[in-house]
Amino acid sequence: MDNLMNFKQEIHQLLDRGMHSDAKAKIKEKLKQLILEDENSFLYLAEYAGFLIDIGSEALDEEAASLGVKLLQSNETDLKSVVSEQSFNYCLANGMDALYKIQEKDTGFPTLEMIRPNLANAKNYYYKAFIAIDLKEINHLDLQILTNLGNNLSRAGRIIDSIRLYKVVLHAHPGFPQASAGLAYSLDKWL
């Protein structure tokens, strides 16, 4: 597990410096070496898939986001045995959301073909993750789920719903930066 922690730190440093291609190359090399045989190997796979999705979202890298989503979908049962279903659904939603953002950037205007497989599926997986939230005891993952669901709903034109979610987050954690930014964006769209 120390190897995973060191690797995660190395990847985070690369991402913080905007070195997405280097991070992706390191992850793909680790994937080639990974033998899926036990619980630890699936924990590694979950981390690698999550990093690829982060790279896809941050760098608008369709290959990275697609690979992350594919790894999650093709190993769903095994991954859900080592990570919570809430965490799995959140990560898969982030991957689909990244694919939507990439396609939207490339086309300039979302088409029904783009919305259905990516934005709508991302919303469905965010909702699956949302169901597990205890709104009386919101943790950091819950804050991320609520914020990203809000972002998704805002992009889908459901501004009032997104504002409500941002307000829940900001009530639980005043000044949470992603929710503050999402709220500002949604209010600007609404007005």
Side-chain angles (χ1 to χ4, degrees):
M1 274 303 162
D2 287 339
N3 288 340
L4 179 59
M5 295 307 290
N6 291 337
F7 184 71
K8 284 173 65 171
Q9 184 176 21
E10 180 182 0
I11 296 299
H12 280 296
Q13 289 172 351
L14 290 170
L15 295 179
D16 289 345
R17 293 192 311 242
M19 301 174 72
H20 299 100
S21 296
D22 292 344
K24 183 170 79 170
K26 288 185 179 288
I27 294 164
K28 288 173 84 173
E29 186 59 37
K30 288 285 189 181
L31 282 169
K32 288 179 189 174
Q33 300 168 6
L34 186 62
I35 299 169
L36 297 174
E37 60 188 10
D38 60 12
E39 186 175 293
N40 283 340
S41 61
F42 285 103
L43 284 172
Y44 281 72
L45 182 65
E47 290 290 340
Y48 299 161
F51 277 133
L52 288 166
I53 288 168
D54 288 346
I55 291 166
S57 183
E58 292 174 21
L60 299 177
D61 181 332
E62 188 170 6
E63 179 195 21
S66 294
L67 179 56
V69 167
K70 180 181 174 189
L71 290 170
L72 291 174
Q73 289 176 326
S74 62
N75 295 283
E76 181 175 356
T77 302
D78 292 312
L79 290 172
K80 284 183 177 178
S81 73
V82 297
V83 300
S84 71
E85 188 164 344
Q86 181 187 36
S87 182
F88 177 87
N89 289 329
Y90 170 70
C91 194
L92 188 53
N94 283 343
M96 292 178 176
D97 192 66
L99 290 170
Y100 173 78
K101 286 191 307 188
I102 292 163
Q103 289 175 331
E104 183 181 42
K105 176 200 73 82
D106 290 344
T107 63
F109 187 77
T111 65
L112 188 57
E113 292 77 28
M114 289 168 49
I115 292 170
R116 191 173 291 129
N118 294 319
L119 190 65
N121 283 337
K123 175 196 51 101
N124 293 338
Y125 281 101
Y126 283 132
Y127 272 130
K128 287 180 182 183
F130 171 81
I131 290 169
I133 294 174
D134 178 355
L135 293 174
K136 293 177 184 151
E137 294 186 36
I138 297 175
N139 62 40
H140 186 73
L141 176 60
D142 298 338
L143 294 172
Q144 294 290 345
I145 292 167
L146 290 166
T147 300
N148 287 6
L149 177 57
N151 294 341
N152 177 279
L153 293 173
S154 180
R155 277 195 294 283
R158 294 177 56 189
I159 305 301
I160 301 300
D161 293 332
S162 70
I163 290 171
R164 286 182 180 145
L165 287 169
Y166 299 136
K167 286 185 174 186
V168 168
V169 171
L170 293 170
H171 178 75
H173 193 286
F176 190 69
Q178 295 92 336
S180 295
L183 178 60
Y185 176 80
S186 289
L187 287 171
D188 185 55
K189 259 177 103 168
W190 190 35
L191 302 174

